[in-house]
Amino acid sequence: MKIYTKFGDSGETALYGGTRIPKDALQIEAIGTVDELNAYIGYAQTLVDDADLCHLMERIQNHLFSLGADLATPATHTKSTELRVSEDFTLEMEKAIDTLSDELPPLTNFILPSGCQAGAALHVARAVCRRSERCVVRLAREVDVNPEIIRCLNRLSDLLFVLARVVNHRSEMPEPIWKS
């Protein structure tokens, strides 16, 4: 199987089902930003030594592929209901946030996005997640978007923040406090 198809050489790409749209369309921007987020999480995972956290990050990456497929499937497509993400993973992330937060000292100040390499990479992933969420919110004003995608990305940014804190905490890396 060849990697290149040449179908995108004219500046267009296809959604699921074959509808062609410009590569700079907001829908493609949203899909691409989710892909970028997935890549940052994959990078951060290479820096994490904890097997449980790596497993969670791999679950997140798999779910982001499903989320991207949801974004790439027009609401009018016959398989659109099969490809929609549900609240199941959002609820799973909420449980992970609660469990992981139990091992952290409470926040009394804003912290700077920093720490060990893995923690800093997770903070970058969190920022990309927020950008992805903003992009999907803009897209939802133009086309029918599964509202669970927005909830999922919102919760994922929270989870990535907690993961960054946990990684820094477990590596005994102090969290720098924001000084106004």
Side-chain angles (χ1 to χ4, degrees), residues 18-51:
T19 304
R20 299 201 57 81
I21 64 173
K23 286 187 175 188
D24 65 350
L26 185 54
Q27 190 164 7
I28 300 306
E29 182 71 22
I31 294 165
T33 307
V34 169
D35 184 40
E36 181 183 356
L37 168 60
N38 205 337
Y40 273 112
I41 292 170
Y43 172 67
Q45 185 182 0
T46 68
L47 303 171
V48 172
D49 290 331
D50 187 295

Side-chain angles (χ1 to χ4, degrees), residues 47-50 53 103-104 114-120 163-175:
L47 303 171
V48 172
D49 290 331
D50 187 295
L53 296 182
E103 73 179 78
L104 295 171
S114 181
C116 65
Q117 281 189 314
L163 278 169
R165 290 195 68 217
V166 165
V167 166
N168 285 331
H169 181 72
R170 289 181 184 178
S171 66
E172 299 179 1
M173 181 66 67
E175 296 176 310

Side-chain angles (χ1 to χ4, degrees), residues 3-79:
I3 295 297
Y4 57 91
T5 64
K6 300 183 182 181
F7 290 127
D9 291 354
S10 65
E12 291 186 340
T13 191
L15 298 175
Y16 185 74
T19 304
R20 299 201 57 81
I21 64 173
K23 286 187 175 188
D24 65 350
L26 185 54
Q27 190 164 7
I28 300 306
E29 182 71 22
I31 294 165
T33 307
V34 169
D35 184 40
E36 181 183 356
L37 168 60
N38 205 337
Y40 273 112
I41 292 170
Y43 172 67
Q45 185 182 0
T46 68
L47 303 171
V48 172
D49 290 331
D50 187 295
D52 289 340
L53 296 182
C54 285
H55 176 72
L56 175 58
M57 292 167 77
E58 186 175 319
R59 294 254 318 117
I60 293 167
Q61 285 190 285
N62 277 293
H63 190 72
L64 285 173
F65 262 92
S66 298
L67 194 144
D70 190 334
L71 284 170
T73 305
T76 56
H77 193 278
T78 56
K79 291 193 175 200

Side-chain angles (χ1 to χ4, degrees), residues 71-169:
L71 284 170
T73 305
T76 56
H77 193 278
T78 56
K79 291 193 175 200
S80 69
T81 55
E82 296 171 31
L83 296 171
R84 298 293 173 229
V85 294
S86 71
E87 72 175 345
D88 294 349
F89 194 71
T90 302
L91 295 173
E92 184 180 328
M93 287 190 294
E94 288 175 355
K95 288 178 186 174
I97 291 167
D98 294 342
T99 300
L100 291 168
S101 292
D102 286 344
E103 73 179 78
L104 295 171
L107 279 177
T108 56
N109 297 291
F110 287 108
I111 59 170
L112 300 177
S114 181
C116 65
Q117 281 189 314
L122 284 161
H123 277 298
V124 171
R126 176 194 49 77
V128 173
C129 186
R130 287 288 190 201
R131 179 163 38 92
S132 182
E133 180 185 9
R134 292 188 305 270
C135 194
V136 172
V137 167
R138 277 194 316 275
L139 177 64
R141 286 192 219 116
E142 292 183 9
V143 299
D144 187 22
V145 170
N146 176 359
E148 189 56 38
I149 292 173
I150 296 169
R151 283 190 289 275
C152 179
L153 290 170
N154 189 335
R155 211 68 76 249
L156 178 54
S157 65
D158 296 335
L159 177 55
L160 291 168
F161 178 76
V162 170
L163 278 169
R165 290 195 68 217
V166 165
V167 166
N168 285 331
H169 181 72

